[in-house]
């Protein structure tokens, strides 16, 4: 079925015209049969041209569910007294990082609940150094450890981390207030994104898709937010209810199929609009559909974060329900993902950092080229890290 408005937008895309907000809304809310496939095909063409048909792995170590925050949607919020808390030892974390390096993963992600105390900050600093040492500088390190002070962000960058993920969750300030306690303000989150960029990181953010009360206009604004913040990497996924959270009471019935479609459309439209950023096919997609992550890649994503956390801790790190791969181990996930990726005719960028091309573009636009070159090795400008 054809829709003249959509056809106009598609020809604008073909002619490399700049989409405006109303185009983004139209694309995001289209539900006509056949349009979704067309949208994903266009996004896939842009992905192939800008970042290639290659998936980069970031082995994620979810090393602790101890959290000082109380986000209303999240299963590991501090007030969830049903959650069995754990904190992996340094040795266990380093074993997982070594496994990633020996298995040719270019990068790892360290993620945990949020803590700001100085033993925690010191621990992460030491771990970054050790991970760099054990891999002879080869493993790229992404951190996903929430809101921290500018000083902490700089310390971790200086210790070897070069990417940071901090989701804005939603760029609509009313919605943000509805899903977070009063002490967790949106201004602070935006300030952190700026501090991360100033510290030199490749900066990642993202939103939850299909939040109660979220419109197609809100999602279009999220994409414009990514553009305004000059974001390098996007990690976004469907909102999935966790029963032990306050939002489970208010969310009502959410249809998994619709939720998945919304998330895939959001990936496709973000790829069409931002073109050269890295976009993750997040695990939450697979919680809704066994083929969710492959569908994410076919809609324009180019990053996967295989879980490399010790199996015995996986069940306790459930931010949402139905999380996949809880009983699998790192080796099973690796071969499972290899098969899935081969099936869609893409390759895996082993031994490469797979940094966001957008990051280099924004660095090259900086007036101070010396700064760029002096950070070159760390930020992956080292050619051997980015070449195929
Ligand atoms: N559904 C989907 N995503 C969630 N996250 C936390 N809780 C949920 C949920 N119930 C996401 C948030 C957070 C990331 C680490 O996990 O976006 O930033
Ligand atoms: Fe973990 Fe498939 S990715 S089992």
């Amino acid at each position: 079925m054809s829709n003249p408005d959509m056809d106009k937008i598609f020809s604008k895309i073909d002619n490399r015209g700049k989409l405006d907000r109303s185009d983004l809304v139209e694309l995001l809310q289209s539900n006509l049969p056949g349009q979704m496939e067309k949208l994903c095909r266009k996004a896939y063409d842009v992905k192939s041209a800008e970042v290639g048909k290659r998936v980069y792995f970031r082995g994620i170590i979810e090393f602790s569910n101890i959290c000082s925050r109380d986000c209303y949607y999240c299963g590991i919020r501090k007030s969830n007294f049903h959650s069995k808390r754990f904190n992996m030892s340094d040795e266990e974390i380093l074993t997982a990082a070594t496994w990633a390096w020996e298995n040719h993963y270019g990068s790892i992600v360290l993620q945990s609940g949020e803590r700001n105390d100085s033993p925690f900050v010191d621990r992460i600093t030491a771990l970054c150094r050790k991970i760099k040492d054990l891999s002879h500088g080869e493993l790229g390190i992404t951190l996903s450890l929430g809101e921290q002070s500018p000083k902490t962000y700089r310390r971790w960058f200086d210790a070897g981390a070069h990417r940071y993920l901090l989701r804005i969750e939603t760029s609509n300030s009313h919605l943000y207030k509805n899903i977070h306690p009063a002490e967790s303000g949106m201004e602070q989150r935006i300030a952190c994104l700026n501090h991360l960029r100033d510290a030199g990181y490749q900066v990642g953010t993202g939103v939850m898709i299909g939040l109660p009360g979220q419109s197609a206009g809100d999602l279009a604004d999220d994409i414009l937010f990514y553009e305004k913040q000059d974001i390098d990497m996007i990690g976004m996924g469907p909102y999935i209810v966790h029963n032990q959270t306050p939002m489970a009471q208010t969310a009502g019935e959410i249809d998994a199929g619709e939720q998945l479609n919304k998330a895939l459309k959001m990936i496709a439209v973000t790829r069409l609009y931002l073109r050269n950023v890295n976009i993750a096919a997040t695990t939450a997609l697979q919680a809704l559909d066994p083929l969710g992550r492959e569908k994410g890649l076919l809609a324009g994503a180019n990053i996967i974060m295989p879980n490399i956390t010790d199996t015995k801790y996986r069940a306790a790190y459930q931010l949402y329900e139905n999380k996949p791969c809880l009983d699998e181990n790192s080796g099973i996930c690796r071969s499972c993902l290899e098969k899935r990726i081969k099936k869609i005719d893409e390759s895996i960028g082993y031994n490469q950092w797979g940094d966001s091309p957008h990051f280099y573009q924004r660095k090259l636009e900086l007036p101070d080229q010396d700064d760029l070159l002096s950070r070159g090795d760390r930020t992956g400008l080292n050619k051997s890290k980015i070449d195929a």
Side-chain angles (χ1 to χ4, degrees), residues 321-348:
E321 276 156 21
N322 286 330
K323 192 176 170 200
C325 310
L326 292 186
D327 299 324
E328 281 73 16
N329 62 33
S330 312
I332 294 176
C333 284
R334 181 185 162 168
S335 43
C336 166
L337 283 170
E338 276 180 351
K339 281 192 210 113
R340 288 164 180 267
I341 290 165
K342 201 165 167 207
K343 227 180 193 156
I344 60 164
D345 202 24
E346 294 213 353
S347 62
I348 300 168

Side-chain angles (χ1 to χ4, degrees), residues 251-272:
E253 271 304 300
I254 298 184
D255 182 89
E258 259 174 47
Q259 206 69 348
L260 178 74
N261 272 351
K262 264 190 211 170
L264 294 174
K265 271 193 275 186
M266 187 64 177
I267 290 177
V269 179
T270 303
R271 172 61 70 201
L272 286 172

Side-chain angles (χ1 to χ4, degrees), residues 206-245:
V207 297
M208 283 181 288
I209 301 154
L211 286 165
Q214 186 184 47
S215 66
D218 290 329
L219 292 171
D221 289 335
D222 293 337
I223 298 177
L224 297 173
F225 174 86
Y226 302 153
E227 181 186 40
K228 185 162 157 244
Q229 292 291 321
D230 221 350
I231 289 300
D232 304 304
M233 324 167 318
I234 318 279
M236 53 190 177
Y239 164 64
I240 300 171
V241 173
H242 188 297
N243 260 318
Q244 295 160 352
T245 61

Side-chain angles (χ1 to χ4, degrees), residues 73-74 111 167 169 208 238-240 319-320:
Y73 45 85
C74 183
Q111 189 181 77
R167 289 190 182 178
E169 315 296 358
M208 283 181 288
Y239 164 64
I240 300 171
L319 313 181
Y320 49 82

Side-chain angles (χ1 to χ4, degrees), residues 16 28 57 113 121 141-142 181 201 238 257 308 329:
R16 296 291 296 257
L28 287 163
F57 280 177
V121 172
I141 303 176
T142 303
Y201 288 93
I308 58 166
N329 62 33

